[in-house]
Short mmCIF file of all heavy atoms in Angstrom, two decimals:
data_model
loop_
_atom_site.label_atom_id
_atom_site.label_comp_id
_atom_site.label_asym_id
_atom_site.label_seq_id
_atom_site.Cartn_x
_atom_site.Cartn_y
_atom_site.Cartn_z
N GLN A 776 13.70 -45.79 0.46
CA GLN A 776 14.69 -45.27 -0.46
C GLN A 776 15.60 -46.40 -0.91
O GLN A 776 15.92 -47.32 -0.14
CB GLN A 776 15.53 -44.18 0.18
CG GLN A 776 16.58 -43.57 -0.74
CD GLN A 776 17.06 -42.20 -0.33
OE1 GLN A 776 16.68 -41.72 0.74
NE2 GLN A 776 17.90 -41.59 -1.13
N ASN A 777 16.00 -46.34 -2.20
CA ASN A 777 16.92 -47.31 -2.74
C ASN A 777 17.80 -46.57 -3.76
O ASN A 777 17.42 -46.37 -4.91
CB ASN A 777 16.17 -48.44 -3.43
CG ASN A 777 17.12 -49.51 -3.90
OD1 ASN A 777 18.31 -49.44 -3.68
ND2 ASN A 777 16.62 -50.52 -4.58
N GLY A 778 18.95 -46.15 -3.29
CA GLY A 778 19.85 -45.40 -4.17
C GLY A 778 19.26 -44.06 -4.59
O GLY A 778 18.84 -43.26 -3.73
N ARG A 779 19.18 -43.88 -5.89
CA ARG A 779 18.63 -42.61 -6.40
C ARG A 779 17.11 -42.59 -6.42
O ARG A 779 16.50 -41.56 -6.72
CB ARG A 779 19.16 -42.39 -7.82
CG ARG A 779 20.65 -42.20 -7.93
CD ARG A 779 21.07 -41.95 -9.38
NE ARG A 779 20.76 -43.09 -10.24
CZ ARG A 779 19.76 -43.16 -11.09
NH1 ARG A 779 18.90 -42.13 -11.19
NH2 ARG A 779 19.56 -44.22 -11.84
N LEU A 780 16.50 -43.69 -6.11
CA LEU A 780 15.04 -43.77 -6.14
C LEU A 780 14.51 -43.78 -4.70
O LEU A 780 15.12 -44.37 -3.79
CB LEU A 780 14.59 -45.04 -6.82
CG LEU A 780 14.40 -45.01 -8.34
CD1 LEU A 780 15.66 -44.64 -9.06
CD2 LEU A 780 13.89 -46.36 -8.85
N SER A 781 13.37 -43.14 -4.54
CA SER A 781 12.67 -43.18 -3.29
C SER A 781 11.17 -43.15 -3.59
O SER A 781 10.75 -42.73 -4.66
CB SER A 781 13.08 -42.08 -2.33
OG SER A 781 12.73 -40.84 -2.86
N ALA A 782 10.38 -43.62 -2.61
CA ALA A 782 8.93 -43.63 -2.79
C ALA A 782 8.26 -43.32 -1.47
O ALA A 782 8.79 -43.68 -0.40
CB ALA A 782 8.46 -44.98 -3.30
N THR A 783 7.12 -42.66 -1.56
CA THR A 783 6.31 -42.37 -0.41
C THR A 783 4.87 -42.70 -0.73
O THR A 783 4.37 -42.31 -1.81
CB THR A 783 6.41 -40.87 -0.05
OG1 THR A 783 7.76 -40.58 0.36
CG2 THR A 783 5.46 -40.52 1.07
N THR A 784 4.20 -43.38 0.17
CA THR A 784 2.77 -43.64 0.04
C THR A 784 2.06 -43.05 1.25
O THR A 784 2.42 -43.36 2.40
CB THR A 784 2.47 -45.14 -0.07
OG1 THR A 784 3.08 -45.66 -1.25
CG2 THR A 784 0.97 -45.39 -0.12
N VAL A 785 1.08 -42.22 0.99
CA VAL A 785 0.21 -41.65 2.03
C VAL A 785 -1.12 -42.34 1.87
O VAL A 785 -2.00 -41.95 1.12
CB VAL A 785 0.08 -40.13 1.90
CG1 VAL A 785 -0.74 -39.57 3.06
CG2 VAL A 785 1.46 -39.44 1.85
N ALA A 786 -1.26 -43.46 2.63
CA ALA A 786 -2.41 -44.32 2.43
C ALA A 786 -3.72 -43.60 2.78
O ALA A 786 -4.74 -43.79 2.10
CB ALA A 786 -2.26 -45.57 3.26
N THR A 787 -3.70 -42.74 3.77
CA THR A 787 -4.92 -42.07 4.21
C THR A 787 -5.45 -41.10 3.13
O THR A 787 -6.60 -40.82 3.06
CB THR A 787 -4.70 -41.31 5.51
OG1 THR A 787 -3.56 -40.45 5.35
CG2 THR A 787 -4.45 -42.27 6.66
N GLU A 788 -4.50 -40.60 2.31
CA GLU A 788 -4.90 -39.69 1.25
C GLU A 788 -4.90 -40.35 -0.13
O GLU A 788 -5.13 -39.73 -1.16
CB GLU A 788 -4.00 -38.46 1.26
CG GLU A 788 -4.12 -37.65 2.55
CD GLU A 788 -3.37 -36.34 2.52
OE1 GLU A 788 -3.09 -35.83 1.42
OE2 GLU A 788 -3.04 -35.83 3.59
N ARG A 789 -4.58 -41.63 -0.15
CA ARG A 789 -4.69 -42.44 -1.33
C ARG A 789 -3.83 -41.98 -2.49
O ARG A 789 -4.32 -41.81 -3.62
CB ARG A 789 -6.17 -42.61 -1.78
CG ARG A 789 -6.98 -43.30 -0.66
CD ARG A 789 -8.42 -43.49 -1.05
NE ARG A 789 -9.18 -44.12 0.06
CZ ARG A 789 -10.47 -44.20 0.10
NH1 ARG A 789 -11.20 -43.76 -0.91
NH2 ARG A 789 -11.08 -44.76 1.13
N TYR A 790 -2.56 -41.79 -2.20
CA TYR A 790 -1.64 -41.49 -3.26
C TYR A 790 -0.25 -41.99 -2.92
O TYR A 790 0.08 -42.21 -1.73
CB TYR A 790 -1.60 -40.01 -3.64
CG TYR A 790 -0.92 -39.11 -2.63
CD1 TYR A 790 0.45 -38.88 -2.72
CD2 TYR A 790 -1.65 -38.49 -1.62
CE1 TYR A 790 1.10 -38.06 -1.81
CE2 TYR A 790 -1.00 -37.66 -0.71
CZ TYR A 790 0.36 -37.45 -0.79
OH TYR A 790 0.99 -36.63 0.12
N SER A 791 0.55 -42.20 -3.97
CA SER A 791 1.94 -42.58 -3.80
C SER A 791 2.79 -41.78 -4.77
O SER A 791 2.33 -41.45 -5.88
CB SER A 791 2.12 -44.08 -4.05
OG SER A 791 3.44 -44.50 -3.82
N LEU A 792 4.00 -41.48 -4.37
CA LEU A 792 4.94 -40.72 -5.19
C LEU A 792 6.21 -41.50 -5.35
O LEU A 792 6.73 -42.10 -4.40
CB LEU A 792 5.25 -39.37 -4.57
CG LEU A 792 4.08 -38.46 -4.28
CD1 LEU A 792 4.51 -37.22 -3.49
CD2 LEU A 792 3.41 -38.01 -5.56
N LEU A 793 6.74 -41.51 -6.58
CA LEU A 793 8.05 -42.10 -6.86
C LEU A 793 8.99 -40.98 -7.29
O LEU A 793 8.66 -40.23 -8.22
CB LEU A 793 7.94 -43.12 -7.99
CG LEU A 793 9.25 -43.78 -8.42
CD1 LEU A 793 9.81 -44.67 -7.33
CD2 LEU A 793 9.05 -44.60 -9.71
N TYR A 794 10.08 -40.84 -6.57
CA TYR A 794 11.08 -39.81 -6.85
C TYR A 794 12.30 -40.44 -7.53
O TYR A 794 12.82 -41.46 -7.05
CB TYR A 794 11.55 -39.12 -5.58
CG TYR A 794 10.45 -38.54 -4.71
CD1 TYR A 794 9.94 -39.24 -3.63
CD2 TYR A 794 9.97 -37.26 -4.96
CE1 TYR A 794 8.97 -38.73 -2.83
CE2 TYR A 794 8.98 -36.71 -4.16
CZ TYR A 794 8.49 -37.45 -3.08
OH TYR A 794 7.51 -36.91 -2.28
N ILE A 795 12.74 -39.83 -8.59
CA ILE A 795 13.97 -40.25 -9.25
C ILE A 795 14.91 -39.04 -9.24
O ILE A 795 14.57 -37.99 -9.80
CB ILE A 795 13.72 -40.71 -10.70
CG1 ILE A 795 12.67 -41.81 -10.74
CG2 ILE A 795 15.00 -41.19 -11.35
CD1 ILE A 795 12.24 -42.22 -12.14
N SER A 796 16.06 -39.19 -8.62
CA SER A 796 17.03 -38.10 -8.55
C SER A 796 18.19 -38.39 -9.49
O SER A 796 18.49 -39.55 -9.78
CB SER A 796 17.51 -37.90 -7.13
OG SER A 796 18.24 -39.04 -6.70
N SER A 797 18.79 -37.30 -9.95
CA SER A 797 19.97 -37.41 -10.82
C SER A 797 19.75 -38.46 -11.92
O SER A 797 20.52 -39.42 -12.05
CB SER A 797 21.23 -37.77 -10.01
OG SER A 797 21.43 -36.84 -8.98
N SER A 798 18.71 -38.26 -12.71
CA SER A 798 18.29 -39.28 -13.66
C SER A 798 19.39 -39.65 -14.66
O SER A 798 20.23 -38.78 -15.00
CB SER A 798 17.03 -38.85 -14.39
OG SER A 798 17.25 -37.62 -15.06
N GLN A 799 19.36 -40.89 -15.09
CA GLN A 799 20.32 -41.39 -16.08
C GLN A 799 19.54 -41.96 -17.25
O GLN A 799 18.36 -42.27 -17.14
CB GLN A 799 21.17 -42.50 -15.43
CG GLN A 799 21.95 -42.03 -14.22
CD GLN A 799 22.70 -43.14 -13.53
OE1 GLN A 799 22.60 -44.30 -13.90
NE2 GLN A 799 23.47 -42.80 -12.48
N THR A 800 20.21 -42.07 -18.39
CA THR A 800 19.51 -42.57 -19.59
C THR A 800 18.94 -43.94 -19.37
O THR A 800 17.90 -44.31 -19.93
CB THR A 800 20.46 -42.58 -20.80
OG1 THR A 800 21.61 -43.37 -20.47
CG2 THR A 800 20.90 -41.17 -21.18
N THR A 801 19.59 -44.73 -18.49
CA THR A 801 19.08 -46.07 -18.21
C THR A 801 17.80 -46.08 -17.39
O THR A 801 17.18 -47.12 -17.23
CB THR A 801 20.16 -46.89 -17.47
OG1 THR A 801 20.60 -46.13 -16.33
CG2 THR A 801 21.35 -47.19 -18.37
N ASP A 802 17.41 -44.91 -16.89
CA ASP A 802 16.14 -44.81 -16.16
C ASP A 802 14.96 -44.75 -17.14
O ASP A 802 13.80 -44.87 -16.71
CB ASP A 802 16.10 -43.57 -15.28
CG ASP A 802 17.12 -43.64 -14.12
OD1 ASP A 802 17.44 -44.73 -13.70
OD2 ASP A 802 17.59 -42.55 -13.72
#
Side-chain angles (χ1 to χ4, degrees):
Chain A
Q776 181 160 5
N777 184 5
R779 296 181 296 102
L780 273 59
S781 64
T783 294
T784 297
V785 184
T787 53
E788 298 187 21
R789 299 182 182 169
Y790 73 88
S791 183
L792 302 173
L793 177 68
Y794 305 96
I795 305 174
S796 64
S797 305
S798 57
Q799 302 175 356
T800 56
T801 52
D802 294 331

